[in-house]
Amino acid sequence: MPTTLSVNLNAIAMLRNRRDLPWPSVEGLGRIALQSGASGLTVHPRPDQRHIRFSDLPVIRNLIDDEFPEAEFNIEGYPTGEFLELCKDAAPEQVTLVPDDPSQATSDHGWDFRKHQAFLTDVVARLKKMGARVSLFADGDGDAEAVKIAKAVGADRIELYTGPYGGCHDAPERAGPILEALGKTADAALAIGLGVNAGHDLTVANLPPLVARIPKLAEVSIGHGLTADALEYGMAETVRRFCRACGQKA
């Protein structure tokens, strides 16, 4: 199966929040994304609500349920009690857990699975009781033992943190070794029955090599680069371009 695309709406929400106005519409652009071939929508509701607001979650849930019942809602974040309550209310198909400090501008590393094994075991169990698939943010450094711990805590998937790979946009000669480390991490995960997602600083240019190295890559979650392209190409055409970069025939 081709890699699917989940459109991260955070950057759209952040632009909206610059003014006390309802545009750009998170719901409206999410609708266009799903109409244009995206398989899901992703949000990261941070405690300060600086981009996605808690009030956006039921709106996106209803959009998917009412108009795109085959699509998935993916909520990512650090598992505070407040975050878990948001997940309980919004009933996402997938929850992606990231080890962010609330003050971070964006995610920049995966979990230390050895250090947080007990914590993640408890949180993953709680989320799975809610009916969610659980994905854990993971460094793509080829650490097979860390991946085994991710499996042991009950995760269904890992999401490869692709920030360093995306950071090679102006130095492509560095991309090869990073891509191979990501690939080895995916190989280790797939070998023990974990699904593999990926996300962070992915673009139309760097997606095809990633998908070629990890042909069983289940899903990519993309926000910043996709939103930037949407300013140039429009949301509908941008989603189609990213779907094609994922190997789809969109």
Side-chain angles (χ1 to χ4, degrees):
M1 294 291 292
T3 302
T4 62
L5 170 67
S6 184
V7 172
N8 189 313
L9 299 171
N10 285 10
I12 294 166
M14 185 168 62
L15 181 59
R16 174 200 62 190
N17 294 354
R18 293 184 67 245
R19 297 287 187 270
D20 187 22
L21 296 166
W23 60 80
S25 169
V26 170
E27 178 188 16
L29 286 165
R31 178 181 291 108
I32 292 170
L34 293 172
Q35 288 172 336
S36 304
S39 297
L41 300 174
T42 292
V43 297
H44 185 156
R46 291 182 178 273
D48 61 7
Q49 302 187 68
R50 63 179 179 264
H51 32 63
I52 285 294
R53 297 170 179 159
F54 300 162
S55 58
D56 291 320
L57 301 186
V59 174
I60 297 168
R61 177 74 273 169
N62 290 337
L63 170 66
I64 290 173
D65 289 346
D66 294 345
E67 301 181 37
F68 305 93
E70 300 303 314
E72 291 195 349
F73 192 11
N74 174 46
I75 299 180
E76 63 179 35
Y78 183 85
T80 62
E82 182 178 45
F83 176 82
L84 294 174
E85 283 300 312
L86 290 172
C87 291
K88 181 179 178 180
D89 292 340
E93 282 72 26
Q94 178 173 264
V95 176
T96 301
L97 299 180
V98 297
D100 288 6
D101 181 279
S103 65
Q104 283 184 225
T106 187
S107 304
D108 62 5
H109 63 286
W111 286 98
D112 182 336
F113 291 114
R114 295 172 178 85
K115 180 178 179 180
H116 298 291
Q117 182 171 1
F119 172 67
L120 289 170
T121 298
D122 176 63
V123 171
V124 170
R126 292 174 64 182
L127 287 166
K128 293 185 81 167
K129 284 182 180 179
M130 298 178 195
R133 179 198 310 130
V134 181
S135 180
L136 301 179
F137 218 46
D139 291 317
D141 55 6
D143 187 344
E145 291 304 313
V147 169
K148 289 179 181 178
I149 298 172
K151 174 72 171 179
V153 305
D156 301 291
R157 297 183 181 180
I158 59 169
E159 179 173 324
L160 297 171
Y161 169 56
T162 53
Y165 176 62
C168 296
H169 61 90
D170 59 350
E173 69 280 359
R174 299 197 336 256
I178 297 173
L179 178 60
E180 184 56 27
L182 289 165
K184 288 182 177 179
T185 309
D187 292 343
L190 292 164
I192 59 173
L194 279 174
V196 179
N197 297 339
H200 215 83
D201 294 338
L202 293 174
T203 66
V204 167
N206 64 28
L207 260 173
L210 182 69
V211 173
R213 176 58 183 83
I214 310 173
K216 292 185 178 180
L217 184 64
E219 174 187 285
V220 290
S221 173
I222 306 176
H224 183 83
L226 189 149
T227 304
D229 279 10
L231 295 173
E232 182 172 357
Y233 299 103
M235 177 60 80
E237 178 58 22
T238 294
V239 168
R240 289 190 287 265
R241 293 175 77 242
F242 272 86
C243 285
R244 289 192 293 268
C246 286
Q248 300 177 31
K249 295 180 180 180

